[in-house]
Amino acid sequence: DAGFYCGGGSGSAQPSGVGDTRNGPCPEGFYCPKGSANPLRCPPGYYCPSQQMDESDYLTNLCEAGYSCSGAAINKCGGTDAINNPAAIDCSNCNSCSAINECQKGYYCIEGSTKPTGEPCPSGTYNDETGKSSLNDCKDCDPGFYCPDKALVDQVPCQAGYYCPNSTMVETTEYFCPIGSKCPEGSD
């Protein structure tokens, strides 16, 4: 039956798995379509929080925004490995959970993200915090700084001889200090 795996020798469509490693209920972090010989890892972007899940069950469990589920996740925060990390099972509140895959600085992770470097913040912005979930969480570069690359964690001070208005992506001659002006490092 769906939610169970039967690798051979079982006399039941819903084997208990007790004393039998080839047959049993699908474990947390996995799903078992009807007729499965082995449990299948919960796919990236989803989590499988309970036993006996099939594909229709996990499809309703997208990883929470701000976190990533790389595969075989057992909670909405991307925690895996119930055997070696039992804290992952009791993770109903991602903010208080130690078994998580929080989105990294410089990035944001939308619902269903598959890696902790979900989407990079674009040039002209930066993100110095973890667990961010949308493009709006990327901060515009402040005046006096520039952000030349994607996925920046910190702003770069505008070099002496240049000025940098809000959200500057690169230092160019367009922002060269005008003749007769002084533009020390960090000029806006």
Side-chain angles (χ1 to χ4, degrees):
D1 284 351
F4 294 85
Y5 64 98
C6 298
S10 176
S12 170
Q14 296 182 355
S16 70
V18 176
D20 184 359
T21 58
R22 296 183 304 157
N23 308 289
C26 218
E28 291 97 347
F30 295 82
Y31 72 101
C32 297
K34 185 175 182 174
S36 295
N38 295 298
L40 303 172
R41 290 171 56 99
C42 199
Y46 296 89
Y47 66 100
C48 297
S50 59
Q51 291 186 347
Q52 301 178 13
M53 294 188 77
D54 66 24
E55 61 256 280
S56 64
D57 295 326
Y58 83 75
L59 289 173
T60 62
N61 295 324
L62 276 171
C63 189
E64 186 167 303
Y67 300 87
S68 67
C69 298
S70 58
I74 60 175
N75 64 53
K76 63 185 176 183
C77 316
T80 59
D81 194 0
I83 295 169
N84 295 317
N85 192 354
I89 296 171
D90 302 319
C91 203
S92 58
N93 180 351
C94 295
N95 293 331
S96 64
C97 184
S98 62
I100 59 174
N101 289 325
E102 198 167 33
C103 199
Q104 294 179 3
K105 294 177 180 181
Y107 298 85
Y108 63 96
C109 297
I110 60 171
E111 184 179 54
S113 287
T114 60
K115 56 189 180 193
T117 54
E119 300 295 328
C121 287
S123 297
T125 68
Y126 72 103
N127 174 18
D128 57 355
E129 300 177 72
T130 59
K132 295 305 175 184
S133 60
S134 79
L135 177 60
N136 293 334
D137 290 323
C138 299
K139 303 170 184 174
D140 288 336
C141 248
D142 295 322
F145 295 87
Y146 71 107
C147 297
D149 300 311
K150 295 179 182 177
L152 285 181
V153 174
D154 293 312
Q155 304 175 86
V156 179
C158 195
Q159 293 181 11
Y162 293 87
Y163 69 98
C164 298
N166 195 44
S167 300
T168 302
M169 289 186 252
V170 294
E171 288 183 321
T172 67
T173 55
E174 178 182 351
Y175 300 122
F176 192 73
C177 191
I179 295 174
S181 300
K182 292 183 179 182
C183 296
E185 181 179 78
S187 293
D188 61 1

